[in-house]
Amino acid sequence: MRVLLVALIFVAGVIIAYFLTNSSSDEKTLKIYNPIDVESEMVDEDLVRKGFGHTIQEFSFTDQTGKNYGSKDLKGKIYVAEYFFTTCGTICPKMNAEMQRVQEALKGNDQFKILSFTVDPETDTVAQMKNYADGHGADPLQWHFLTGEKKDLYQLARRSFFVLKPAEAANQGDVGSDFIHTNYFVLVDTKKRIRGYYDGTNPVEVDKLIGDIKKLLEEK
């Protein structure tokens, strides 16, 4: 009887350990986002049923230093992307105050980058972006403020990051559109896969983002 009891206790211990280990593993593994995981209105019809294999398309824009910066510079890197505009007086200042916290938390880590894409490139020239970047203490080696052709900026938002609605894409960035006020930070891994969406105005969610970036860095 005693042997049976010991055996039962041992088996129960193994089962509990198994579930605890799996639970811990699940917490460490971040979801990989595909078009099927995003609200359908945010995704073009030809992509909406795609359940796996989505990656961020190749891109190249001009950063605040006047240099081209894009996919080729991000090989093997983890990054966070946002869309904003320098003259925004509502949520953008909150978002970039939070992004300053992200930069500070990962300061000096060359494996991590921040990309801030403008939605108003007519206003947000290289000089304008540099002034804005300097005002936010942006390290030009880590935090890149990107401008370029509007159609290319919006196509990337629509078909890669899934932060642009169809009507807003058609408007090509009317400054009065809701898209201008998108509050998402998008986390991308070294394989160009989306690993998370975070409310850039919410300090609690940004804390989670910082933690998730560190998890991805550990995966490397």
Side-chain angles (χ1 to χ4, degrees):
M1 186 68 179
R2 182 176 296 176
V3 173
L4 179 60
L5 182 60
V6 170
L8 288 173
I9 291 172
F10 174 77
V11 171
V14 169
I15 292 172
I16 291 169
Y18 171 81
F19 281 108
L20 286 175
T21 301
N22 276 338
S23 174
S24 175
S25 174
D26 289 343
E27 288 176 5
K28 291 181 180 179
T29 302
L30 299 182
K31 179 182 178 68
I32 296 170
Y33 284 80
N34 287 288
I36 200 170
D37 301 310
V38 183
E39 291 181 28
S40 59
E41 69 170 347
M42 307 299 285
V43 184
D44 281 346
E45 191 173 347
D46 63 316
L47 295 175
V48 73
R49 292 184 180 83
K50 186 175 180 181
F52 62 91
H54 175 74
T55 57
I56 304 301
Q57 69 189 61
E58 297 292 304
F59 63 88
S60 180
F61 295 103
T62 306
D63 74 6
Q64 71 268 34
T65 69
K67 296 179 181 178
N68 290 338
Y69 192 86
S71 305
K72 65 180 179 61
D73 305 290
L74 292 163
K75 289 181 179 178
K77 313 287 187 185
I78 293 161
Y79 66 89
V80 170
E82 67 162 349
Y83 277 79
F84 85 112
F85 62 111
T86 62
T87 55
C88 169
T90 54
I91 67 169
C92 298
K94 296 177 184 177
M95 291 170 65
N96 283 319
E98 290 298 322
M99 198 68 90
Q100 284 179 274
R101 289 207 302 119
V102 176
Q103 178 183 238
E104 186 61 28
L106 282 301
K107 189 175 182 179
N109 192 322
D110 187 54
Q111 299 306 304
F112 170 72
K113 305 296 179 183
I114 300 170
L115 307 184
S116 294
F117 298 91
T118 181
V119 296
D120 185 17
E122 289 90 349
T123 300
D124 291 339
T125 61
V126 170
Q128 176 83 350
M129 295 285 259
K130 185 178 188 310
N131 287 337
Y132 190 91
D134 290 347
H136 286 77
D139 177 352
L141 297 177
Q142 188 168 50
W143 190 351
H144 300 268
F145 287 78
L146 300 171
T147 189
E149 292 293 322
K150 185 180 289 185
K151 63 181 179 60
D152 296 330
L153 289 160
Y154 275 70
Q155 183 190 57
L156 188 67
R158 175 69 183 161
R159 294 186 62 84
S160 282
F161 294 117
F162 307 130
V163 292
L164 177 57
K165 297 177 183 178
E168 293 155 357
N171 289 337
Q172 285 290 293
D174 171 12
V175 176
S177 78
D178 289 339
F179 170 60
I180 297 303
H181 298 287
T182 182
N183 58 336
Y184 285 125
F185 289 167
V186 185
L187 177 60
V188 179
D189 68 14
T190 58
K191 297 179 180 178
K192 304 189 293 184
R193 303 174 300 186
I194 296 173
R195 302 301 293 273
Y197 289 93
Y198 309 82
D199 180 350
T201 67
N202 185 330
V204 174
E205 291 210 13
V206 175
D207 285 342
K208 183 177 187 308
L209 166 61
I210 292 169
D212 287 349
I213 293 166
K214 292 178 179 178
K215 286 180 186 177
L216 289 186
L217 288 168
E218 289 173 3
E219 282 184 12
K220 294 188 65 182

